[in-house]
Amino acid sequence: MTADHYFSAEPAASAKRSRIAFTAAGRSYDLAVAAGVFSAGRLDPGTAVLLRKGDLPTAATTGTLLDLGCGYGPIACVLASEAPATTVYAVDVNSRARDLTAENAAALGLADRVRVAAPDEVPADVTFDQIWSNPPTHVGKAELHALLARWLPRLAPGGVIWLVINRNLGGDSLHTWLTSLGWEVTRTASQRGFRVLRVTGKTD
């Protein structure tokens, strides 16, 4: 799988389908995947670390959540399953990924609360109580920073952002960059070469 496949709006790769099974927060998931989307062969190790080490929402959680760079939807599906009182936006540039996320959410009975969208389809006035992301580090630092600079300011007051970053692909430098912008950043876990970062709103 090459990077330009799963970062493309319309992947050229044949949409060969398969399924990925995993467990998160004690629930089992079996999701449809296809070639041309991120980590089509297995649950990405960074995503697995994020779902294991991040503070997942619960039945008491309300508000609007964002899965930024949703791929085929593992994070969005877990968030919506764990927090039935929330709405989850699942955003990706890849149309095939969005179709798979919508399919997987529907299969889990979550279609009414998982709103799958291209980046420009998210209403400008929507803010997010939680943002979750295994962001695309392979696009390069400049594009990664631009992506986060676009979406992280849409965090609602009092909200929290959970990011997982490969240590060898700029995890520590991203921590430093976010701090330089005034975000409160805590490394809550380091596992299997990945950093899990908890980011909260800028202080005045």
Side-chain angles (χ1 to χ4, degrees), residues 64-70 89-93 115-133 135-136 143-156 160-161 163 177-178 181 183 199 202:
T64 305
L65 315 184
L66 170 64
D67 174 9
L68 178 60
C70 63
Y89 276 83
V91 173
D92 204 293
V93 298
R115 299 184 180 177
V116 182
D120 291 340
E121 294 174 343
V122 180
D125 60 347
V126 173
T127 59
F128 303 100
D129 299 283
Q130 296 185 21
I131 297 174
W132 290 73
S133 186
E143 290 193 40
L144 175 62
H145 287 183
L147 173 72
L148 296 177
R150 174 180 181 178
W151 291 97
L152 269 55
R154 296 181 69 166
L155 185 69
V160 62
I161 301 159
L163 303 173
W177 177 72
L178 290 168
L181 296 179
W183 294 96
V199 184
K202 301 178 181 181

Side-chain angles (χ1 to χ4, degrees), residues 102 105-115:
L108 292 169
L110 305 171
D112 59 331
R113 294 189 296 104
V114 175
R115 299 184 180 177

Side-chain angles (χ1 to χ4, degrees), residues 122-197:
V122 180
D125 60 347
V126 173
T127 59
F128 303 100
D129 299 283
Q130 296 185 21
I131 297 174
W132 290 73
S133 186
N134 178 4
T137 51
H138 286 90
V139 297
K141 182 179 291 187
E143 290 193 40
L144 175 62
H145 287 183
L147 173 72
L148 296 177
R150 174 180 181 178
W151 291 97
L152 269 55
R154 296 181 69 166
L155 185 69
V160 62
I161 301 159
W162 289 95
L163 303 173
V164 63
I165 308 288
N166 190 310
R167 179 188 61 209
N168 295 325
L169 293 175
D172 293 337
S173 65
L174 183 66
H175 186 152
T176 301
W177 177 72
L178 290 168
T179 300
S180 75
L181 296 179
W183 294 96
E184 293 291 321
V185 184
T186 304
R187 185 200 302 169
T188 64
S190 183
Q191 188 176 59
R192 299 181 65 185
F194 293 93
R195 309 297 202 203
V196 176
L197 304 180

